[in-house]
Amino acid sequence: AEKLFLDNNLELLAQHYNIQSSRALVEQARKWENPVLNTDQNLYSNKKFFEHGTDANGNPQGEVFAQVQQLIKTAGKRGKQIDLAKTNVNIAEWQFKSVMRNLRATLIKDFYTVAQLQGNAELYKENMQRLNKLLSAMEAELGAGNIARKEYLRVQALTVSLQQDITDNAKELNNAESELKTILAITGNKFIQPIVADTEQTEIPPVSIVQLIDSAKHNNTDYQQEVCQLQYNSQNLRLQKALSVPDVTIGTEFDQAANYAPNYYGLAISLPIPLWDRNRGNIKSAKYGVKQEEALVNQADQKLQNDVMNAYQKLLYTVQLSSKNNAQFYKDYYQLQRNIAESYNKRQISMIEFLEYYKDYQDIREQQLQQVLNLRLAKEDLNDIVGVDMIR
């Protein structure tokens, strides 16, 4: 299922294109500005258009001016812009991992939910078969006058109630399967059968909270996005300070006949004078942006530690509920249930006892399936927060 998810999910593919787009901007940030060509020549003079050439003395006649300029960025602006673009790539990559993490969490939840609902369906099917078999036997007894009609109707009422449970379970199963098929990019009238064990491993490998939190800080996508955003804001502050330093424009120029000497060659250097605009507003805004992001990173750090602790405690509690003693209890109760209908037919138990055993068994079996699901999801919740599969 995970392989299909990684190969076919269109949302992952779209997010992957976002990474490629950000990487292209890094290449763009490396480029120098194009040189600028300025030219000027006389259009009309001495009652002539485009008067060029030489006069009687051999001096050039008619102006021709050409200039080539190149902008030179100072204070390391280009390098700082490249750093910003690279950090944007990191943010896009963590966003991709975040989308993948959220989709994978949904995939696992739907996968195990489908398995649990299919387990419910098997339970209901088994109970329906037993009730139908019992009803068939009771019809003969009712015809012979050996049982009261109210007993037959009460068992028949169980089948009606069970049929409603089957219908409700089928609707939930269809919804979970539909979402799972969308994540796996499966279309058409296809049925998904998750291959899972009936029980879940309840032993947890030795791991400390410090290890879990340390792993989460390195791998949790939400936390890492905040860290990258703080880096981006710090780099932006350095860039804004650099922008207060004027850039230099250097050029060379040629003037044929409009200067103090014919065929003039000159060197041009220009730079703005930082008299009115020193980029102070943008620098101040960038400083507050860094302070804001520092507060958000601290908040994300606190939330991450609390989330790890909470998920770990939930896992421990769920493991405790799914102990081996409980598993043996379910097994014994299941064996008991197999003999209930037969005991009732032999009049070894009353109708009230039969109904109580039947309802208790279905509730207990549903609880068992739910506990297995809860244990699997608790493991995945912790792995999801930590960012790696530390609990199998």
Side-chain angles (χ1 to χ4, degrees):
E2 289 182 334
K3 185 178 185 304
L4 286 173
F5 161 66
L6 293 174
D7 291 343
N8 301 331
N9 189 272
L10 297 178
E11 190 169 348
L12 279 184
L13 181 62
Q15 191 64 35
H16 177 72
Y17 290 144
N18 185 45
I19 296 177
Q20 300 303 319
S21 174
S22 298
R23 287 176 178 169
L25 294 179
V26 175
E27 295 302 316
Q28 182 61 38
R30 297 180 189 275
K31 303 299 182 182
W32 282 61
E33 284 70 18
N34 291 323
V36 178
L37 171 64
N38 295 313
T39 183
D40 184 16
Q41 57 182 301
N42 68 306
L43 177 64
Y44 181 81
S45 62
N46 299 322
K47 299 181 179 181
K48 294 180 181 180
F49 288 95
F50 301 107
E51 183 182 17
H52 297 103
T54 58
D55 59 16
N57 297 322
N59 296 318
Q61 188 176 20
E63 182 183 5
V64 174
F65 174 81
Q67 182 186 60
V68 178
Q69 293 179 316
Q70 177 65 56
L71 177 66
I72 306 296
K73 289 188 174 181
T74 60
K77 295 186 184 72
R78 177 169 286 100
K80 293 177 175 60
Q81 288 173 332
I82 294 173
D83 290 340
L84 276 178
K86 288 181 178 178
T87 302
N88 260 333
V89 173
N90 291 336
I91 293 174
E93 289 174 342
W94 282 110
Q95 287 174 343
F96 172 80
K97 293 178 181 179
S98 179
V99 171
M100 183 168 65
R101 186 193 75 170
N102 293 334
L103 288 174
R104 183 178 179 274
T106 303
L107 165 70
I108 292 173
K109 178 183 177 182
D110 289 341
F111 183 86
Y112 287 130
T113 298
V114 168
Q116 182 236 359
L117 293 173
Q118 287 178 355
N120 286 346
E122 288 296 321
L123 168 66
Y124 298 151
K125 179 182 178 181
E126 178 185 326
N127 285 346
M128 183 62 77
Q129 290 174 346
R130 290 178 180 174
L131 287 179
N132 288 335
K133 184 178 180 180
L134 178 61
L135 277 176
S136 297
M138 291 181 71
E139 285 180 3
E141 294 292 323
L142 181 63
N146 294 330
I147 61 172
R149 185 169 182 80
K150 66 179 182 180
E151 292 188 25
Y152 176 80
L153 291 177
R154 293 195 68 176
V155 175
Q156 194 174 40
L158 279 181
T159 63
V160 174
S161 176
L162 181 57
Q163 186 59 54
Q164 184 60 49
D165 291 339
I166 292 174
T167 302
D168 293 341
N169 187 78
K171 290 179 181 178
E172 292 184 41
L173 178 58
N174 185 68
N175 291 336
E177 259 202 315
S178 177
E179 188 172 56
L180 182 58
K181 287 161 68 174
T182 299
I183 293 175
L184 299 179
I186 296 175
T187 58
N189 187 23
K190 297 179 181 179
F191 181 78
I192 294 178
Q193 177 66 54
I195 302 174
V196 295
D198 293 333
T199 58
E200 182 69 14
Q201 176 62 253
T202 57
E203 295 182 1
I204 300 178
V207 62
S208 68
I209 288 295
V210 175
Q211 289 176 301
L212 293 173
I213 292 176
D214 183 66
S215 176
K217 287 186 176 181
H218 287 88
N219 299 292
N220 183 273
T221 57
D222 293 338
Y223 178 77
Q224 281 296 328
Q225 284 185 72
E226 292 293 349
V227 171
C228 287
Q229 191 61 51
L230 174 59
Q231 181 183 12
Y232 181 90
N233 286 11
S234 299
Q235 291 171 338
N236 181 56
L237 174 59
R238 291 193 288 270
L239 175 61
Q240 294 304 322
K241 290 180 178 179
L243 289 175
S244 65
V245 180
D247 293 329
V248 177
T249 301
I250 298 177
T252 182
E253 56 189 31
F254 167 76
D255 198 339
Q256 178 176 270
N259 214 306
Y260 72 91
N263 298 324
Y264 167 83
Y265 293 89
L267 174 67
I269 300 177
S270 66
L271 72 160
I273 300 175
L275 186 59
W276 317 119
D277 181 8
R278 298 185 181 180
N279 208 37
R280 291 176 177 174
N282 289 331
I283 293 174
K284 183 180 291 187
S285 176
K287 285 181 179 179
Y288 285 122
V290 171
K291 292 182 179 179
Q292 179 188 34
E293 197 57 44
E294 286 175 345
L296 293 176
V297 169
N298 290 333
Q299 182 187 39
D301 183 272
Q302 296 172 4
K303 182 178 184 301
L304 183 63
Q305 294 187 48
N306 290 333
D307 288 347
V308 171
M309 179 68 73
N310 184 36
Y312 186 64
Q313 292 297 333
K314 284 183 178 179
L315 176 59
L316 293 179
Y317 181 68
T318 308
V319 168
Q320 184 180 358
L321 291 178
S322 305
S323 65
K324 292 183 178 179
N325 293 334
N326 286 344
Q328 185 61 42
F329 165 74
Y330 291 132
K331 183 178 180 180
D332 294 341
Y333 207 96
Y334 174 71
Q335 187 61 37
L336 175 65
Q337 167 63 16
R338 294 173 66 91
N339 302 320
I340 292 300
E342 183 178 352
S343 298
Y344 173 69
N345 278 335
K346 294 179 180 180
R347 291 296 184 266
Q348 294 174 348
I349 60 174
S350 66
M351 168 62 70
I352 294 178
E353 289 177 307
F354 168 75
L355 293 177
E356 288 178 349
Y357 275 122
Y358 172 83
K359 292 179 180 179
D360 287 347
Y361 169 74
Q362 182 157 309
D363 290 342
I364 288 172
R365 178 59 177 154
E366 288 176 345
Q367 290 174 7
Q368 181 188 17
L369 292 170
Q370 185 64 46
Q371 281 187 2
V372 172
L373 175 63
N374 291 342
L375 179 56
R376 286 167 173 161
L377 295 184
K379 290 179 180 181
E380 293 304 327
D381 284 345
L382 180 59
N383 290 334
D384 182 40
I385 294 172
V386 172
V388 292
D389 292 338
M390 299 193 69
I391 307 296
R392 294 287 184 178

